[in-house]
Amino acid sequence: MQMTFYKYQATGNDFIMVDNRQEFFSKNDTKTISHLCHRRFGVGADGLILLETDNSTDFRMVYFNADGKQGSMCGNGGRCIVAFARFLDLIGGECTFQAVDGIHQARISKDQVALQMQDVTRIQSNPRYLFLDTGSPHHVQFWEDWDALDVEKEGRRIRYGLYGEKGSNINFVNPLDSNRFQMRTYERGVEAETYSCGTGATAVALAMHELGRLSHPKVVLDTLGGTLKVRFKKVENGFSDIWLEGPAERVFKGVLK
């Protein structure tokens, strides 16, 4: 059967989007999903996302990494599915949706999508890095020689060497001022550097607060694919009211035979 799909991108983090409200798409076909995400033999994407019906919210998000396996929460993917739902006339300017880590709220205005992330209650501090979970696990560390940084090499080394097969996303950070940072991310599941990472940007913002590097809880993150903004509230047991904001747009529509 033919399948209509859409390609969306959020600061260069790109996804194949499928309206699966009729549940025709097989979630167990890892080989087909990874083939579709392949940049030489398929459509090419960092992941594939299904939009499905949910009884308690506006829709459900089911996310697959580029390796074809269901993944943990994807922040930029979450912002893209909100833009997709708006395109399908399922929502107006605000919505709630179910994801693997729980219910999320979101707001959309033109090409800008703001997504509320889950509260974060624990940050693990180590001498050279911080580790926290923002819906997906993230390692955050500064990197001094920014121009010489080999994200593929260093990210893979830390991802497997420190975290084993289960792994973690690896974020490298370079401060620009008290509330603006450059970041680059090696993503597990893609097993390569991506142009942007939404849960990674959220992790970097909270980690910088934990290190006392922020002048206020609104952070600008410069990624390879564009700029993301994160704002949050520091509360007694961690961080709450966390919002990730940036552009999300439709790139093209296609049909698979």
Side-chain angles (χ1 to χ4, degrees):
M1 63 176 292
Q2 292 187 342
M3 183 187 80
T4 300
F5 72 93
Y6 298 82
K7 183 75 172 288
Y8 274 71
Q9 68 88 14
T11 53
N13 214 182
D14 57 345
F15 308 95
I16 299 166
M17 313 294 294
V18 178
D19 179 359
N20 197 41
R21 285 176 290 171
Q22 302 302 317
E23 299 186 358
F24 66 89
F25 192 95
S26 173
K27 300 183 183 68
N28 299 316
D29 194 348
T30 301
K31 184 177 180 180
T32 294
I33 296 170
S34 62
H35 176 78
L36 290 174
C37 291
H38 198 288
R39 296 193 182 277
R40 295 292 181 269
F41 300 106
V43 176
D46 292 328
L48 182 145
I49 301 175
L50 304 179
L51 184 149
E52 299 188 337
T53 300
D54 184 71
N55 292 329
S56 59
T57 65
D58 291 299
F59 57 87
R60 176 182 296 272
M61 168 185 173
V62 183
Y63 174 70
F64 298 86
N65 286 313
D67 62 6
K69 300 176 183 177
Q70 285 199 43
S72 48
M73 180 56 187
C74 177
N76 283 334
R79 296 191 308 101
C80 280
I81 200 170
V82 172
F84 185 42
R86 183 71 186 90
F87 167 73
L88 295 174
D89 288 328
L90 297 180
I91 62 170
E94 299 183 359
C95 70
T96 61
F97 68 90
Q98 185 74 242
V100 67
D101 63 338
I103 294 176
H104 290 263
Q105 297 182 50
R107 303 176 186 133
I108 181 169
S109 177
K110 296 182 180 180
D111 71 333
Q112 295 292 306
V113 180
L115 173 68
Q116 187 173 36
M117 309 297 285
Q118 303 296 346
D119 293 352
V120 173
T121 58
R122 182 170 178 263
I123 296 181
Q124 178 184 334
S125 296
N126 298 276
R128 295 189 59 192
Y129 66 90
L130 294 91
F131 178 82
L132 62 158
D133 194 312
T134 55
S136 289
H138 282 278
H139 170 110
V140 178
Q141 73 174 73
F142 290 112
W143 196 270
E144 292 185 2
D145 194 355
W146 193 253
D147 293 334
L149 172 61
D150 186 335
V151 174
E152 300 276 337
K153 177 182 176 181
E154 295 298 333
R156 187 178 297 108
R157 178 181 64 83
I158 297 169
R159 179 253 195 268
Y160 286 102
L162 191 59
Y163 298 100
E165 186 61 31
K166 184 177 181 180
S168 172
N169 300 289
I170 310 299
N171 302 276
F172 301 100
V173 183
N174 180 42
L176 298 177
D177 61 33
S178 62
N179 281 84
R180 191 170 196 135
F181 301 85
Q182 286 179 302
M183 63 173 288
R184 295 177 68 179
T185 303
Y186 179 95
E187 283 201 52
R188 67 170 189 172
V190 180
E191 304 307 333
E193 180 178 15
T194 55
Y195 270 52
S196 177
C197 178
T199 55
T202 305
V204 169
L206 301 185
M208 294 305 100
H209 183 280
E210 186 76 2
L211 293 173
R213 300 297 295 260
L214 304 183
S215 57
H216 56 78
K218 294 181 181 180
V219 190
V220 177
L221 292 312
D222 291 331
T223 73
L224 290 179
T227 299
L228 293 168
K229 297 178 181 179
V230 177
R231 56 183 172 86
F232 56 87
K233 291 180 181 178
K234 181 69 177 76
V235 294
E236 185 177 352
N237 62 339
F239 299 90
S240 184
D241 199 25
I242 305 167
W243 288 82
L244 169 70
E245 183 175 357
E249 63 178 11
R250 188 171 67 257
V251 181
F252 62 81
K253 173 185 178 181
V255 178
L256 293 171
K257 296 183 179 179

